[in-house]
Amino acid sequence: MSDVVLYDYWRSSASYRVRIALNLAGIAYRPVMVDLTKGAQKSPEHLARNPQGFVPVLEIDGLRLTQSLAILDYLDQTRGIGLLPPTPAARARVQALAHAIAVDIHPVCNLQVAKHATALSGGAEGMPGDWMRHFIRPGLLAFESLLSGFDQSPYCCGDTPGLADICLMPQLYNARRWEVDVSDMPRLLGAKAACAEHPAFAAAHPDANAPA
């Protein structure tokens, strides 16, 4: 049994990112489901792992790591999976793409946030879907524009998948879930098609990790 443990939820965007990276690195791991729908992330047991009450939590190399972007950076630096280019300027540009999703779109579209907004609205018609679409589509349109500065062949920033792709695919899964139109974003859709054919991405997809 693997000594690498991922405390995971199948639909969590942050967990999805880490699953992709673990697969790219060829790291076998043992998934432990933390059922967000039942509030398991707020249990004393999980709060002892992560006081923020979030997933993922990754136990690896004698460490217990939280925050998906920090985990991705650790895996990249220790396993050399090439998530970022080597030069500072290129790294900053790719990180900006990743952050446009992971820092700007994802937090405000976290289901916990959307549910709170729905409660504050008195359960207004269309919530939480309208909330999600309000933020996801403009955010992805901006991502599409940012991609115009890269040579796509065929991933977001080159011929191998990187940090931007790892952040993009979970967000596109959510976009589909909330019926966000992305049909007018050809660069984004090109990267999506390339990632969908990659075994590391396919094995990390929520549908491949959903409870039986």
Side-chain angles (χ1 to χ4, degrees), residues 151-161 165 187 190-195:
D151 177 21
Q152 283 187 273
S153 55
Y155 298 97
C156 283
C157 305
D159 59 3
T160 58
D165 303 282
R187 296 181 183 86
K192 176 187 177 183
C195 291

Side-chain angles (χ1 to χ4, degrees), residues 17 69 72 83-84 91-106 143 146 157 162-168:
R17 294 174 201 144
L69 292 182
L72 296 178
L83 299 185
L84 288 166
R91 287 174 67 90
R93 293 179 66 219
V94 174
Q95 284 176 319
L97 274 173
H99 291 183
I101 290 175
V103 176
D104 293 331
I105 303 175
H106 176 216
F143 187 93
L146 289 169
C157 305
L163 185 63
D165 303 282
I166 288 177
C167 291
L168 173 63

Side-chain angles (χ1 to χ4, degrees), residues 13-22 24 56 58 65-84 98 102 162-167 170:
S13 294
S15 294
Y16 188 174
R17 294 174 201 144
V18 173
R19 293 196 301 265
I20 296 168
L22 288 168
L24 285 171
L58 181 66
L65 304 176
T66 63
Q67 288 291 339
S68 65
L69 292 182
I71 294 171
L72 296 178
D73 184 62
Y74 178 81
L75 293 174
D76 196 27
Q77 292 199 55
T78 60
R79 270 55 175 191
I81 49 180
L83 299 185
L84 288 166
L163 185 63
D165 303 282
I166 288 177
C167 291

Side-chain angles (χ1 to χ4, degrees), residues 34-50:
V34 179
D35 193 337
L36 305 187
T37 64
K38 295 181 179 179
Q41 72 276 23
K42 301 299 184 183
S43 68
E45 182 181 18
H46 189 70
L47 289 173
R49 299 182 198 110
N50 181 1

Side-chain angles (χ1 to χ4, degrees), residues 81-138:
I81 49 180
L83 299 185
L84 288 166
T87 64
R91 287 174 67 90
R93 293 179 66 219
V94 174
Q95 284 176 319
L97 274 173
H99 291 183
I101 290 175
V103 176
D104 293 331
I105 303 175
H106 176 216
V108 75
C109 291
N110 181 285
L111 195 55
Q112 178 179 248
V113 173
K115 285 182 176 179
H116 186 60
T118 301
L120 290 176
S121 73
E125 184 178 355
M127 292 288 282
D130 287 346
W131 175 275
M132 299 295 200
R133 288 184 286 273
H134 176 80
F135 292 103
I136 294 174
R137 178 168 165 79

